[in-house]
Amino acid sequence: TVLTRPALERDTLLGYQDVPFAALIVWAVLLEARRPKRGAPVLAVLAVAGLLRPEAWLLAGLYWLYLFPDRDWPSRIKLALLVAIGPLVWFGMDLIVTGDALHSLHGTAALAETAGRRRQVAQVPFWTAKYFGYVLREPLVIGVPLGLAFAYRQRLRGAVLPLAVAAAMVLVFAVNPVFGLPLIGRYVRTPSVLLTLFYGLAVCGWLLIDRPGRERRAWQAVAVVAVLASVVYLPWHLKLLHGLVTRVDRNGQLYAGLRETGQSPVVRAAARRCGAIAAADHRPVPYLRYWLGTDPGSVTTFEKGGGRRTKLLLFPRKVPVVRDFYRQNFPKARSPASYRVVYRNATWKLLAAPGCA
């Protein structure tokens, strides 16, 4: 079921760290489910996950509190050290690389403000539901509540663990705006993966009912509804998956052109002469800076009217391969009339201010 979700396929193709993070969280859940209160192995997996996303820190801390009553003080201290690995390594790397132990927090908040992302607590309920729907899609949106009802009806204690982990991660997502952090769909990917287990219960839960009878037949009917929902929406999901292929081809051309831009002697000379480059979207920023080989802050964005317009502006060209992408992502991206093109290739163009060109 997870492998058929278009949003998760997209994350895999784009190489998002949320995919291995979700795998590590599921691994930790499985370790605990097979042997309750296992302790160190679960925390070791969460420590690795905590190097990818900070939600694992909360999970590790809650798990330590769960183990606390059954352990002596030497064991509690050893387990606490495992809990501390993720945040200590994270903060330490930020401090070493940037000189600010909270650089990730400050940088994410600053980018969210520049890019005009959602950061209001009042937006949490709507966008939590919206993002879950985006990941799970229609069949699972129908099937997951049915699976939850089955788990409740049958008093399945094993259902508590994945549900509790998903709830804790959603709580982290919900408090993000309090710290100036954005509400981004990728942040609910892992809870969505955990909830797919309940779709499995909706489809196969009736097999756990040993006695033939009315209840078993009722849950068999529920299974038919859940399966039919997947069948009905299969053509639509195949279309979404096909769209991923088109996106990969388009992005391949976009980023090949971006690399050519960053490696161009003309662009590098303009950057040395005129200072920072501002892109019409935040996505090219880290790639262009890497290919330019310039310092932090040398590539920025003025996406959605935020940020600052520098003497050098980077725009995608309105060519057929990116026309729909341009219309969706840069509807208000306009270059000042006084700026002149100093470089262009198949997909990108760089404009310079008067006196800079």
Side-chain angles (χ1 to χ4, degrees):
T1 301
V2 171
L3 293 176
T4 63
R5 299 306 90 196
L8 296 171
E9 295 282 356
R10 169 185 172 272
D11 290 354
T12 303
L13 288 171
L14 295 176
Y16 282 146
Q17 65 192 43
D18 305 81
V19 176
F21 174 74
L24 288 167
I25 297 300
V26 170
W27 185 11
V29 170
L30 288 174
L31 286 173
E32 177 63 17
R34 291 176 179 177
R35 189 193 303 171
K37 297 190 175 182
R38 181 175 290 208
V42 176
L43 286 174
V45 174
L46 291 177
V48 177
L51 303 178
L52 298 175
R53 290 212 53 82
E55 291 95 325
W57 307 347
L58 174 65
L59 296 178
L62 292 175
Y63 186 60
W64 183 83
L65 290 174
Y66 172 67
L67 297 173
F68 189 92
D70 299 321
R71 304 298 172 111
D72 56 21
W73 275 107
S75 177
R76 291 167 183 166
I77 293 172
K78 291 177 182 178
L79 294 176
L81 293 175
L82 285 174
V83 174
I85 287 176
L88 286 178
V89 172
W90 188 299
F91 295 145
M93 288 298 295
D94 273 5
L95 181 63
I96 292 170
V97 174
T98 70
D100 177 12
L102 299 178
H103 171 76
S104 295
L105 174 64
H106 298 154
T108 303
L111 178 59
E113 183 178 2
T114 299
R117 288 175 170 167
R118 305 172 190 94
R119 297 188 303 153
Q120 302 298 321
V121 174
Q123 296 174 309
V124 169
F126 174 81
W127 286 103
T128 300
K130 181 84 169 178
Y131 287 145
F132 270 119
Y134 175 72
V135 179
L136 297 174
R137 291 292 171 182
E138 297 81 357
L140 271 68
V141 169
I142 297 170
V144 167
L146 296 175
L148 287 168
F150 179 86
Y152 176 78
R153 179 78 177 177
Q154 301 299 318
R155 300 294 189 267
L156 296 182
R157 295 183 63 184
V160 174
L161 177 60
L163 192 59
V165 172
M169 300 186 75
V170 171
L171 177 62
V172 175
F173 174 79
V175 300
N176 274 349
V178 176
F179 300 98
L181 300 177
L183 300 172
I184 298 177
R186 292 191 295 109
Y187 296 172
V188 299
R189 295 292 198 264
T190 303
S192 299
V193 170
L194 292 170
L195 288 182
T196 61
L197 295 170
F198 295 94
Y199 177 76
L201 272 180
V203 174
C204 302
W206 62 272
L207 295 171
L208 301 176
I209 303 174
D210 296 328
R211 295 178 308 229
R214 182 176 178 181
E215 186 175 25
R216 197 168 193 260
R217 289 193 298 272
W219 287 110
Q220 285 175 332
V222 167
V224 171
V225 170
V227 171
L228 284 178
S230 287
V231 173
V232 167
Y233 281 98
L234 186 60
W236 168 241
H237 291 172
L238 287 175
K239 181 180 178 180
L240 292 175
L241 290 171
H242 178 72
L244 290 176
V245 177
T246 303
R247 178 169 183 164
V248 168
D249 292 340
R250 183 199 67 207
N251 284 0
Q253 296 184 56
L254 274 170
Y255 285 99
L258 189 64
R259 179 175 59 190
E260 183 181 332
T261 301
Q263 295 175 345
S264 165
V266 173
V267 174
R268 293 186 174 190
R272 288 193 299 268
R273 184 171 61 249
C274 307
I277 297 175
D281 181 64
H282 67 278
R283 280 163 284 198
V285 172
Y287 301 95
L288 182 60
R289 206 197 113 211
Y290 173 76
W291 285 316
L292 281 171
T294 51
D295 296 329
S298 59
V299 182
T300 182
T301 178
F302 59 91
E303 181 181 12
K304 296 182 180 179
R308 60 190 178 93
R309 293 196 177 220
T310 62
K311 293 182 178 180
L312 294 172
L313 302 179
L314 181 73
F315 290 87
R317 296 185 61 194
K318 296 181 182 179
V319 292
V321 67
V322 296
R323 185 168 291 132
D324 291 340
F325 176 75
Y326 189 101
R327 186 166 55 247
Q328 294 170 9
N329 294 278
F330 312 109
K332 297 180 181 179
R334 299 289 183 270
S335 58
S338 59
Y339 279 52
R340 294 290 179 265
V341 175
V342 294
Y343 172 84
R344 68 160 58 93
N345 59 30
T347 50
W348 297 92
K349 61 183 179 181
L350 183 73
L351 290 82
C356 173

